Amino acid sequence: MHSRPRPSPHRQHATRYDLRYPWYMSVPVQLTVEFASRIRAHALRMVSNASAAHIGSALSIADILSVLYTHVLRVDPTKPDWPERDRLIVSKGHATSILYAALAERGFFPLDWLADYCKDESKLLGHVSHHVPGVEVSTGSLGHGLPIACGMALAAKRDGRSNRTFVILSDGELDEGSCWEAILFAGHNRLSNLTAIVDYNKIQSFGTVKDVLDLDPLAAKWDAFHWHTLEIDGHDIAQLQVALSSVPLEADRPTVIIAHTIKGKGVSFMEDRLEWHYKSPNAVQLEQALQELGYSC
Ligand SMILES: Cc1ncc(C[n+]2csc(CCOP(=O)(O)OP(=O)(O)O)c2C)c(N)n1
Ligand SMILES: [Mg+2]
């Protein structure tokens, strides 16, 4: 447990740094680290309150989302439809709690919406919905995000727009044939404005990636499809910042960042544990998880 007090995850956004483009490009690393911690705490509360699933999947991408939303994405919460905005598709749409937490922290909608996650009449459903401010595309049926991202990147290129398209994929999702059609398509069309981030946590819903359908050697496969390939620690904020801020890395190839991650990262009893794909933390487990992050219920 951290010895120094942490800010409340429900503190109002207005008191923090102004993250609107382009001012946020100079934010300190500590802000990104704290952002990741806050969205983990939100996601834990949301999932526990709703007795919902997929907390392990959510915690796995907290650091990736944090770097994207505090350091990389050119988006403006006051103008979510700005044509020149960068696009992000979270294709692993079951990890919706952490995306909604990041969007709320980034100012796309009020933080108090998070309390109604998965409740009747809530806008915040259990899979990613484009009815939520800041969301580009509804996802949840795996294998669709990368094909759609290819279309967005191709359209931007043809229109002469400078915005970039990012897509977060899960490793189990790469079992879908549609992903490999899109990987082939993006390489062929030299979509350098497209970046895929693979959340390589090595666990699917019912088993390890290695046992269910082995992806190794993963980087070599993307490379063979004409992608620029990077492998990084998906929880190392500095590595994520360098990799994600540097794209496009080549003028005529899309980029894939294979982010080695840990499902359930940040909560000791959830890390690398298959059961936290579906299990929801009860009140005692929630309290313990929040304490590990430096928060309380
Ligand atoms: C097309 C499709 N088939 C099956 C599912 C059910 N499903 C939900 S999550 C998941 C796999 C989860 O593992 P992974 O893709 O590695 O994501 P992680 O939870 O590790 O982020 C599956 C098969 C789905 N959402 N979409
Ligand atoms: Mg996985």
Side-chain angles (χ1 to χ4, degrees), residues 40-283:
R40 281 192 165 96
H42 286 312
L44 282 158
R45 290 170 192 275
M46 291 159 70
V47 165
S48 179
N49 289 345
S51 299
H54 306 135
I55 187 62
S57 320
L59 297 173
S60 186
I61 56 167
D63 300 303
I64 295 168
L65 284 176
S66 182
V67 170
L68 283 169
Y69 277 108
T70 61
H71 201 76
V72 176
L73 291 177
R74 297 170 194 153
V75 289
D76 183 345
T78 65
K79 289 185 227 132
D81 297 329
W82 176 39
E84 295 288 333
R85 72 192 182 281
D86 286 338
R87 272 65 167 174
L88 170 66
I89 299 177
V90 177
S91 191
K92 43 172 279 184
H94 54 287
T96 187
S97 58
I98 201 94
L99 173 64
Y100 290 161
L103 289 170
E105 280 287 340
R106 190 67 171 75
F108 280 91
F109 54 83
L111 282 168
D112 57 18
W113 285 18
L114 300 179
D116 293 331
Y117 174 67
C118 282
K119 301 271 166 65
D120 287 348
E121 317 259 325
S122 171
K123 286 189 208 312
L124 307 186
L125 307 176
H127 286 78
V128 171
S129 162
H130 67 274
H131 293 294
V132 175
V135 173
E136 297 288 344
V137 177
S138 294
T139 51
S141 182
L142 296 167
H144 294 279
L146 186 56
I148 296 169
C150 283
M152 288 178 166
L154 186 62
K157 217 173 154 184
R158 289 186 174 167
D159 291 351
R161 278 184 278 116
S162 63
N163 64 284
R164 302 158 303 169
T165 299
F166 296 85
V167 55
I168 301 177
L169 306 164
S170 50
D171 44 12
E173 180 174 15
L174 289 176
D175 296 355
E176 300 288 344
S178 52
C179 291
W180 294 97
E181 291 177 33
I183 296 166
L184 187 62
F185 179 91
H188 173 82
N189 284 286
R190 302 167 188 266
L191 298 179
S192 55
N193 53 355
L194 174 64
T195 300
I197 304 156
V198 179
D199 176 27
Y200 200 7
N201 60 28
K202 316 333 177 267
I203 296 182
Q204 308 195 2
S205 23
F206 294 119
T208 63
V209 168
K210 208 161 206 43
D211 287 343
V212 177
L213 195 50
D214 196 3
L215 293 171
D216 272 351
L218 186 55
K221 290 185 171 85
W222 288 78
D223 185 59
F225 283 52
H226 307 303
W227 284 62
H228 186 101
T229 307
L230 282 181
E231 286 195 70
I232 63 168
D233 176 344
H235 301 302
D236 184 315
I237 298 290
Q239 283 188 36
L240 283 163
Q241 282 184 343
V242 170
L244 287 164
S245 310
S246 311
V247 295
L249 291 158
E250 285 188 52
D252 62 353
R253 291 215 288 181
T255 300
V256 59
I257 296 172
I258 297 174
H260 292 273
T261 53
I262 296 170
K263 205 155 169 168
K265 174 72 178 177
V267 176
S268 60
F269 59 92
M270 294 182 181
E271 287 190 1
D272 213 19
R273 299 288 295 269
L274 179 66
E275 66 264 33
W276 290 101
H277 183 79
Y278 286 116
K279 260 177 81 170
S280 191
N282 62 29

